[in-house]
Amino acid sequence: MGNPSNIQNLLASIGPVGAEDILSLDPTDKQEGYRELEAWVDGSLDMYRPEFRPILFPIFCHFYLDLIQRGLKDAAVKFYSSFASSLAASHSAILHHISTLLLPAHVQNDEIAQRFRDEKYVVRMSRSGFGLLVGWLTEGVGGEAFGAGDGFTGELGKRGRVSVMRVVNNHLRFDVTSSNTTSVSPNSWEESTGLLSSLIPRANVNNPQAFNVSRGDLKLGPAPLPDELRAETQRVLREQALVDRDPIAQYDVQVTRQVIPGVVNPAESDLLPHPPAFRTLDVEREANHVRDARKRIRLEPSLLVNMDPNSTQAAAVKSRALPSICAYTLHDVPEGAPCCTFSPDTSMMAAGFAESYIRLWSLKGEKLRGLRSDFTSTSIKDSSSLRKIREKGGSITRKLIGHSGPVYSVAFDPLSGSAAAPKYLLSSSADATARLWSMETMTNIVAYRGHENPVWDVKWSPLGIYFATGSRDRTARLWSTDRISCLRVYAGHLSDVDCVQFHPNSLYLATGSSDWTARLWDVQRGSCVRVFIGHQGAVSSLAMSPDGRYLASAGEDLAINLWDLGSGKRIKKMTGHTSSIYSLAFSAESSLLVSGGADWTVRCWDVKSAGGSRQKPRENGNSSFMSMGLATGEPSATPLSYGDEENMETVDLLATFPTKRTPITNVQFTPRNLCLVAGNYLSPVV
Amino acid sequence: MNPDNGKKRPTAQTGVYKPESIKDVADSLNLPNISDTVASALASDVEYRIHQVIEEAARFMRHGRRTIMTTADIEQALRVLNIEPLYGHSSHNPPTFKRALPFPNAPAAGSVYFVEDEEIDFDRVLREERTTLPKGVSWTAHWLAVEGVQPLIPENPPAIPKELPPADVKPTLTNGVTAAATPTTPALVATKKQEQQLQQQQQLVKQVLSRELQLYYTRLTSSLLPPGSDLTKRDAALASLRSDAGLQALLPYLIKWVGDGVVRGLKDGGMSEMDGRILDVLISVTGALLSNSTLFVEPYLHQMLPPILSTLLHSSLPPTHATLLRTSAAQTLSRLLTEHSTTYPSLSPRIMKTLLLALISPGKSSGTRQGAIRGLVGIGKEAIRKGLVEGGGAKVVGSECSDDTSLVNAVLDALRVLRVPADMVDSLDVTNTDDLAVLVELKVILGDFFADLVAEDAGWARTILGANSAS
C-alpha cells in the first residue's frame, strides 16, 4: 500500500496500547473531565459534598502527572492553573510539589509522583455516595443539580468521564463504610485516606485500622516500681511525715500510679533492662513524685464545658480550669533558637542555637560551676574535697560548644526528677550527631554517631538511661547512654522522622514524620504497633498523656489530632492555630493540652470534651441555592466554604494567650502543673 | 527526555527560570548555539532542581523554628543533597539583585540582573563607624497567664478589644430614645458618667491640650503663686476652679502642680511664713477642684490624697500657719471622703489606718499627732471613737504630751464631737459606786489625764464609754 512513514510510525506506536489511549492523548478531555467532575461534586447535595470532595485531589494529581508524562507541559501547566486553586486550601504542599514536575523524567524519578503512580489512593465513602459516583461515571447522571447535566451528554463530556473513570479504576481504592453519610462528621472523611499502602508496614493489610487491630493490645499502664524501691520510698515518706507532724501526709507511692480500668499494666520484665540496684537519687525522685502529686495545682477544664466564655461564672471557674503560664522569652537571638527546654526541677533552662552552640541558664540564680579537670584522684575523699575541685567564679549562664550545625533539640535527663538538678543533657544537631553533656563538668562526654543526616529530635526515656532520636534519614533510633552505637533502628517512615516521644511507661515510642503519619513502635522489638493516618501535612510535634492513653500530634496542616493509643483511632481534630505548631504538652491530669507555635500564641485545649466545629450545620435550603449558582458555571465561588472550614476554631479551644512577637518553641508542665513556655522574641523588621 | 515532545509545542514558558537564562549560561560556557528546545527542557529541569533544593531547605527552616528561609537553610539543604554549597552568602546581608538598564544596542538581550558590589571607603568606615559588640542572648520571664487570665502587663500584648457596639448606640439603649435625639434631654446620671468615662478613655489615648487651655493654665498658676501678690486675683482663680466647666483636660496637670508644690513647700524645712502661705493656697486649690461638680476627679484621688495627708501630718509646719493649715487640710480630706467614700468603700478605712498610725506610734511630734486628730475629726464620729477611744490615741497623747495645750485642746475638741448636747452639766461623783466604776473604766481607756478632764461631765463620760461598750 505504501503508507506514508508517519502513519506507519503511528501504527507502530499504537501496538501495545489500545486506541482509547491514543484518544486520551488529547489533553482537552482531561480538562473537560475534571471540570465536569468538579461541577458534579460541587453540585451534589450538601450531605454528600464532604465525602465527594476528597476524590478531586487524586484525580487532579493523576491528570496532571499524565499530562506531564506525555510531555504535554503547556497543557499540564494550563490544567494546573485553572483547577489547582480550589484544592489549594487543604493540599497546598503536595500541589506545589507536583507543580514543580515539568518533564517526564521528573515524574519518573520523583518519589511522590511514583507513589501516586504505584499505590492506590484510598478514598472513604459511604455506600450511597459510592453508588452515586458510579452512576455518574457510567451514565453521566445522578446526584448533580437540576439543569446541570445538559452539557455532560456530549461527546466531549463522555470522553472526559472516561478519562476520570480510568483514573478511578487504576489508581483509586474506595473504602466504602457501612455507616450513614450523616453520622460521619465532615472532618473525618480524611482520616485513613490517601496513599496508604506503603505507609502501612504489612503488605497484605491495606487498611490502617485493620493493621492496628492486627497488632493486638498494648500495655499502656504505668511502669511498675521495683518492690525494694517502693518500700524504701514509703519509708522515707513516712519518716518525713513524722518529722513534719503531718499525719495526713500521703506516703503511698501508688497514688501517682492510679489504675485505669481497661488498661493493661506492664510487668517488670517488659521494661527495658535497668540497673538492678536503686540509688538514693531514685528514692528521692519517687518521694518527690508523691509530694508533687499532693501539692499539684488541679486543673479541671471540664468545668468550662457548656459555659459562655464571656459570662461571669466562666471567669470564676477559669482559675480552676486553666493553668498559670510563665513565659521565658529569649532576647537578642541572632539566627534563631530552634529549641529550648527546662529541667524537671525547673532549676535550669537550656536552649540550642542555630550557631551550633547550646546555652545553659540557671533559673535559680545559682552559679553554674563545673568540675575542674586538673586534679589528682587521690586527693578526693569525701564530698567536701569534691566541692574543692569545682571551678572558681562561674556565672549563671554557660555556653556548651561541640556541635557543628544548628542544634535542633535539647533534653534534660529525667532521672533526678523534681528532686535535684539534672546530671545530663542530650542534644541533637544538623551535624548528624546526638551529644551527651555532663552537668557536673559542663563538657561533652559522648557524641553518638550513626544517623547519616541531621538529627531532628532527641528525647530521654522516662526512666532515664535510654534515649531515642529521629532523623532526616527516615529512621528513629534507640540508644543507651553507655553505648556509642544504637540499640534499635525503627525504620518504616517514608520521610524524615521529625519528632519522637516516649510513652510514659517507656515501652513504646511514638514518631511523627514528614510522610504525614505518626507511628507507635514497640521499643524492645523494634516493630511498628500502630499507625496514625489523618494529618494533611508533616507531623511537627507529639505529646503523650501522662495517663498513657492518648497521643496528641500537631501537623503542618495546623491541626492537632488526638489519638487513642489502644485502638489507634482518632478521637478528634482540634484546629485554631494559624501557623505551625511547635510544641505540645499535657497537664499532669491528662485533661488539658497546651500548644505553642509560630503564630505567637499559647493555646489551651480541653482533652475530654467532644470538640467539633463552632459552626452550626448549614441549612439545606442555603446549599441548594448555592449549588444552583455553581452548576451554571462560576468556578470562582467554589472553594470558599471549603477553605473556611479548615481555619475554624473548634469548640474545645479553651483559651488563647498571645505573646508580643514570640514564637513558642517549647511548652511544658512542671510536676506541679505550672506551665512553662519559651521562645525567642523576634524584633520587628526595620 | 524526548525531543519530539519538545518540538510539538512552542517555547512559551511559565516558570521562574527562563530558557533565555539557560542560553546566557550556555554563552558564558562557550556553547553559543543551543536550540530553543534544549534550552526550554533544561530550564524546566533547572527549575525542578531549584524547587527540590527549596523544599529541602524548607525542612531546615521548619526545624529551625523559623518562618523565614535564610541562606543558611539553603546551605544545609545543599549539604544534605550532596551538592557543593554556594559560598559567599550569609544571612546577615542577603544579596539584592538589581536590574540593569536595557542595552540600546542589543534589545534582544532582555533584562539583565546583577548583584551590586558595594564600594566601601575604608577611610570613611574607619572614621565613622563604631562597631559595637552585640549583647549576648538573655532571657526574661513574665506571666503569660495567671490561672487562665492574661495579666495586662507590658510584656503581654494589649488585649484585643471585644467587638462592642459603637459608643453612640449605648445612650440609645439606656435612654430608650432614638440615636438622633440629643443627650441634653434630662440626662440620666449614668449616661453622664459614661460620657465622662468615655472622655477619660479618649484622653488616655491621646493627650492634646488646646492652646486656650495651656494659656489658662499658665495664667491660673501665675495668679495663684507666689501668694500675696494680689488677693482678688487669687480669689478669682480659685472661684474659676471651683465652678468653671471644661477643665477636665487640665485636671491631671493641676493635680501634679499641687503635688509638686506641696513637696517643695515641705521639703525645704517648711518653716518660713512664705511656705505656709503657699501650702494654704495649694490646699485651697485642692478643695476647689473637689468642689467643682463638672470635674471627674475619681481616677485622680490617689494623686490628690498624698498632698493633703502630707500637709496634715507633717511634723513641722510654719508656726504661723500650722493650725490653719491642719484645719483646712482636715476639712478638705473630710469633703473628699464624704463625696467619694461611697465609690471607694475601702478609702476611709485606709486613711483612718494611716492617721491612727501617725497618732499612736511612739516618737511622733505633737504636730503630726494634732494633724492626725484633726483628720480623724474630719472623717467622722466613728473614726474618733476608733482612733482616740478604742485605739488608745487619747491615752498616748495624755501620757506623752499632756503639757502641749493645743494638742490637748484638739483631743478635747475631738472628744466633744462625741458628746450629746445636754443642758445640765454635772461631774462624776467619786463617792457614787456607779460613777466610780465609770471613772475607773474611763481611766483605763483614756488614761488618767483625759479621764480627769472628761469626768467633769458625767453625760459625756457615759457616752464615750457607752459607745465603747456598745461597739
Side-chain angles (χ1 to χ4, degrees), chain A residues 336-348:
Chain A
C339 57
C340 195
T341 191
F342 301 94
S343 67
D345 66 338
T346 61
S347 66
M348 279 202 264

Side-chain angles (χ1 to χ4, degrees), chain A residues 311 326 380 393 573 652 669:
Chain A
S311 68
C326 189
I380 296 169
K573 175 177 174 179
D652 40 14
F669 274 95

Side-chain angles (χ1 to χ4, degrees), chain A residues 3-33:
Chain A
N3 275 334
S5 63
N6 57 347
I7 292 184
Q8 278 187 345
N9 279 348
L10 183 67
L11 284 175
S13 69
I14 283 176
V17 288
E20 210 175 57
D21 275 351
I22 294 297
L23 282 175
S24 73
L25 270 176
D26 182 5
T28 53
D29 62 349
K30 294 217 164 39
Q31 191 105 356
E32 191 59 25

